[in-house]
Amino acid sequence: MNFDWLIQWYYNIRWIDLLVSIGILLLFLAFRKLFTRYLFAFVIGRFKEHPALIRWAQAFEKPLQYFFILIGTYLALRYFMHEQWSFVIDVNKIYRSISIALLGWGLYNVSAASSILLEGAGRRFGLDASSMIIPFLSKVVRFIIILLVVTIVGAEWGFSINGVVAGMGLGSLAIALAAQESLSNVIAGIIIILEKPFSKGDWISTPDIEGIVEDITFRSSKIRTFTDALVIVPNSKLAASAITNGSQMGKRKIFFNIKVSLHTPGDRIKRVVTRLTEHLEQDEAVAPGTVMVKFNEFYESSLGIMVQCFTRSPGWGDNLEYRQQLNLYVMQILEEEDVKLAYPTQRVLVQEPETGLGQA
């Protein structure tokens, strides 16, 4: 075999230049972490009262390390190849493309849902941690960043993006026509997130479903019913329904009727009403000004005493606990006042037939 070309290539290599280039690359590789460490220490120490700048610096830490390596690689290649490199490949295009990608990487990190930019926007518009608008904005911004990076890098290498943009327009129209229902759910999800009729963890009820909201997305909402079943409701259907948010109640209502015997004297009923009213008005668990205890109804087989009040705590469990205590106290009052509860009764009137008069 003829190895003359290999021997010729070996003697044509500028070994001194190659070693210098490798030394440049190794130097940048060795000092990349040290450079970024001191740089970030300076930024944190100099701008510790400006958390936004620190968060920006943290987002660009990794891209900056790779950019430092990129500079070393660029200098090493340019030193070794000199002007001959331009005949093989345009190193400047590669350098600019990778630099754009690293810049996009840093901006991608900055646009995270937990970034200080989106957190500040959330505070400005009164959005809490349960709102889905911040993650949605994060995804939109990240998609735009990726699209811009791909577009700029493609333009750097001479690719025309006009056909891509036109194709995206036609594709978007076809998708919109084929997914009208999904788009309506997305629009309804945006309305729900912006208007905030409920949040994660709220107890809501509609004409079709009742339960605890576990998650809110832009297509549907997940609701855990009180039978522990998970129901996924399309946002368009949920937005078109009347929604009752039980978690936003300031207090919870208690209402029931006490049916006592028809033979109960009026003075005993009056004492029951008075004692129960005084008890509820003095109870700290009852919201002031909401107590209503009245003898208000005559039934066919009983007399009705209406009891209405509102508990301070809107919690369902707290409400049930107080109902139990109140029921036991009502039983105590009725026993002490010797008032009997009514039982379902039915009266039957028996009329004797009239006897006929004898004929004369």
Side-chain angles (χ1 to χ4, degrees), residues 278-295:
E278 293 176 353
H279 172 78
L280 292 174
E281 289 179 345
Q282 296 173 5
D283 196 333
E284 295 182 355
V286 177
T290 64
V291 177
M292 186 72 67
V293 182
K294 299 295 181 183
F295 169 39

Side-chain angles (χ1 to χ4, degrees), residues 83-197:
E83 297 302 326
Q84 299 176 8
W85 183 258
S86 60
F87 295 101
V88 181
I89 191 170
D90 194 345
V91 69
N92 293 323
K93 285 187 178 181
I94 297 177
Y95 173 77
R96 288 195 296 267
S97 299
I98 299 177
S99 299
I100 292 169
L102 292 176
L103 177 62
W105 184 10
L107 294 176
Y108 185 88
N109 294 336
V110 171
S111 61
S114 59
S115 67
I116 195 167
L117 295 178
L118 296 181
E119 287 179 354
R123 288 192 298 268
R124 176 172 297 182
F125 292 100
L127 302 175
D128 54 19
S130 61
S131 175
M132 292 296 297
I133 193 68
I134 297 300
F136 174 73
L137 289 177
S138 174
K139 292 178 181 178
V140 171
V141 172
R142 285 187 163 187
F143 175 77
I144 293 174
I145 290 173
I146 294 174
L147 186 62
L148 288 176
V149 169
V150 173
T151 302
I152 295 174
V153 171
E156 182 68 27
W157 289 90
F159 292 101
S160 176
I161 62 172
N162 295 331
V164 177
V165 173
M168 289 179 60
L170 294 175
S172 300
L173 178 60
I175 293 174
L177 293 175
Q180 294 182 8
E181 184 176 354
S182 297
L183 290 176
S184 65
N185 288 329
V186 171
I187 295 174
I190 295 175
I191 294 174
I192 290 175
I193 290 172
L194 292 178
E195 292 187 354
K196 296 180 64 175

Side-chain angles (χ1 to χ4, degrees), residues 40-264:
F40 281 95
F42 169 77
V43 171
I44 293 174
R46 178 67 176 82
F47 302 101
K48 59 183 178 180
E49 296 181 355
H50 301 277
L53 294 177
I54 296 177
R55 298 282 285 274
W56 273 80
Q58 292 173 346
F60 279 88
E61 182 177 1
K62 283 291 184 181
L64 191 59
Q65 289 184 10
Y66 285 97
F67 183 73
F68 198 69
I69 298 175
L70 181 65
I71 293 176
T73 306
Y74 175 78
L75 294 178
L77 289 174
R78 293 296 294 180
Y79 180 84
F80 181 73
M81 299 303 296
H82 297 294
E83 297 302 326
Q84 299 176 8
W85 183 258
S86 60
F87 295 101
V88 181
I89 191 170
D90 194 345
V91 69
N92 293 323
K93 285 187 178 181
I94 297 177
Y95 173 77
R96 288 195 296 267
S97 299
I98 299 177
S99 299
I100 292 169
L102 292 176
L103 177 62
W105 184 10
L107 294 176
Y108 185 88
N109 294 336
V110 171
S111 61
S114 59
S115 67
I116 195 167
L117 295 178
L118 296 181
E119 287 179 354
R123 288 192 298 268
R124 176 172 297 182
F125 292 100
L127 302 175
D128 54 19
S130 61
S131 175
M132 292 296 297
I133 193 68
I134 297 300
F136 174 73
L137 289 177
S138 174
K139 292 178 181 178
V140 171
V141 172
R142 285 187 163 187
F143 175 77
I144 293 174
I145 290 173
I146 294 174
L147 186 62
L148 288 176
V149 169
V150 173
T151 302
I152 295 174
V153 171
E156 182 68 27
W157 289 90
F159 292 101
S160 176
I161 62 172
N162 295 331
V164 177
V165 173
M168 289 179 60
L170 294 175
S172 300
L173 178 60
I175 293 174
L177 293 175
Q180 294 182 8
E181 184 176 354
S182 297
L183 290 176
S184 65
N185 288 329
V186 171
I187 295 174
I190 295 175
I191 294 174
I192 290 175
I193 290 172
L194 292 178
E195 292 187 354
K196 296 180 64 175
F198 55 85
S199 303
K200 290 182 181 179
D202 285 356
W203 162 50
I204 65 169
S205 61
T206 69
D208 299 320
I209 191 171
E210 181 177 7
I212 305 297
V213 179
E214 285 198 352
D215 193 14
I216 308 170
T217 66
F218 283 89
R219 195 198 71 83
S220 60
S221 298
K222 297 180 180 179
I223 300 176
R224 180 76 63 176
T225 66
F226 294 118
T227 60
D228 203 33
L230 183 62
V231 181
I232 300 177
V233 185
N235 286 332
S236 59
K237 182 177 181 180
L238 197 59
S241 302
I243 302 174
T244 301
N245 193 332
S247 298
Q248 294 186 4
M249 291 190 301
K251 47 187 178 291
R252 189 180 287 271
K253 182 179 180 180
I254 292 179
F255 177 86
F256 59 91
N257 281 303
I258 305 174
K259 295 183 178 181
V260 299
S261 172
L262 279 172
H263 304 290
T264 305

